[in-house]
Every structure is written in structure tokens, then in C-alpha cells.
Amino acid sequence: MSRQAEKNTQNAMAFYALMFNQCKPAEAIEKYVGQTYTQHNPHVGDGKQAFIDYFTRMAREYPGKQVQFKRAIAEDNYVVLHCYQHWPGNQDYAGIDIFRFDEQGKIVEHWDVLQVIPQTSANDNTMF
């Protein structure tokens, strides 16, 4: 892994932990996001302020929510995180988040897919 890919991976994890676990989305945006922020999750509006508004609401509605990083893959200016998301009082999720970084090492674009972790499985392999 290149030095920049390693730094981007660390920054993606730090961004995610700050906004999700520590419930500080505005601080996460200020510290880790570039001039623009393109959001592909259909439940979250596009841009920095929409991101802040959404995760501020999630912090109120789901206090104690936590993410755990299970694996990270980085290539060029992309970082992929495989995550376990715990949502108190709701279902837990397996997630894949993809971040694109600009030349300054700031996040500028995000995609994700989430899957509810079922109570039972047709195999013993777990989702992680």
C-alpha cells in the first residue's frame, strides 16, 4: 500500500469514528472533507451541510450507535471500509463504505451499501 493510500485509510477511519461513534459530524467534515462532498446514499442529502444535519439527527435518535472496522482496502485515491454498525434499539448492519479522496488527502465523495445482519444464516461463515 502506498504512503498516501495508508494515510487516506487512516483518515477515512478517523472521519467515520468522529462522525459516527463520537457524534461530531460538523467536526468530522471540517477536519477530513475537501471543498465539496458528493453523497451517493439516497437517504442523505448531497453536500456538507446535509451530511451534518443527517448525522446530527442520527446521534439524537440513536445514542450509543457504534461502528467497528473489520477490514480496509485502499487503491489510488479510494478507500473501502467493511464495517459492523450497531444501532441501539434497531437492527445491526454490515456495511461497505467507499470514499474518494482529492489530491490533498481530503474526502470528496462517498458511496455505501448496508445489509441488515440477520438472526439466522444459511451458513456458519458470519458476515465478517
Side-chain angles (χ1 to χ4, degrees):
M1 182 182 307
S2 75
R3 192 172 180 90
Q4 188 61 48
E6 191 172 320
K7 182 180 177 191
N8 288 349
T9 299
Q10 292 169 354
N11 285 344
M13 290 179 174
F15 168 77
Y16 208 140
L18 186 59
M19 68 84 173
F20 200 91
N21 293 349
Q22 298 175 44
C23 300
K24 297 179 180 179
E27 189 177 328
I29 289 286
E30 179 66 30
K31 189 169 183 178
Y32 296 105
V33 172
Q35 289 294 98
T36 62
Y37 184 76
T38 303
Q39 176 63 260
H40 294 277
N41 180 322
H43 300 290
V44 184
D46 200 28
K48 295 178 186 181
Q49 191 58 52
F51 176 92
I52 292 167
D53 294 345
Y54 180 83
F55 280 100
T56 298
R57 182 171 58 86
M58 291 299 102
R60 274 194 318 271
E61 293 178 9
Y62 299 98
K65 65 182 174 38
Q66 290 287 308
V67 66
Q68 296 173 4
F69 306 112
K70 298 299 184 175
R71 54 192 50 84
I73 301 165
E75 181 179 303
D76 299 325
N77 60 341
Y78 291 92
V79 173
V80 179
L81 300 178
H82 186 200
C83 305
Y84 168 79
Q85 293 184 357
H86 173 67
W87 294 82
N90 199 352
Q91 297 173 310
D92 290 345
Y93 290 83
I96 298 287
D97 288 89
I98 305 169
F99 298 95
R100 184 174 65 85
F101 287 77
D102 65 14
E103 295 75 29
Q104 289 74 45
K106 299 289 188 174
I107 297 167
V108 293
E109 195 163 10
H110 171 257
W111 299 259
D112 65 352
V113 290
L114 296 170
Q115 182 177 359
V116 171
I117 299 173
Q119 296 289 356
T120 60
S121 175
N123 62 63
D124 296 326
N125 299 323
T126 82
M127 295 183 74
F128 302 103

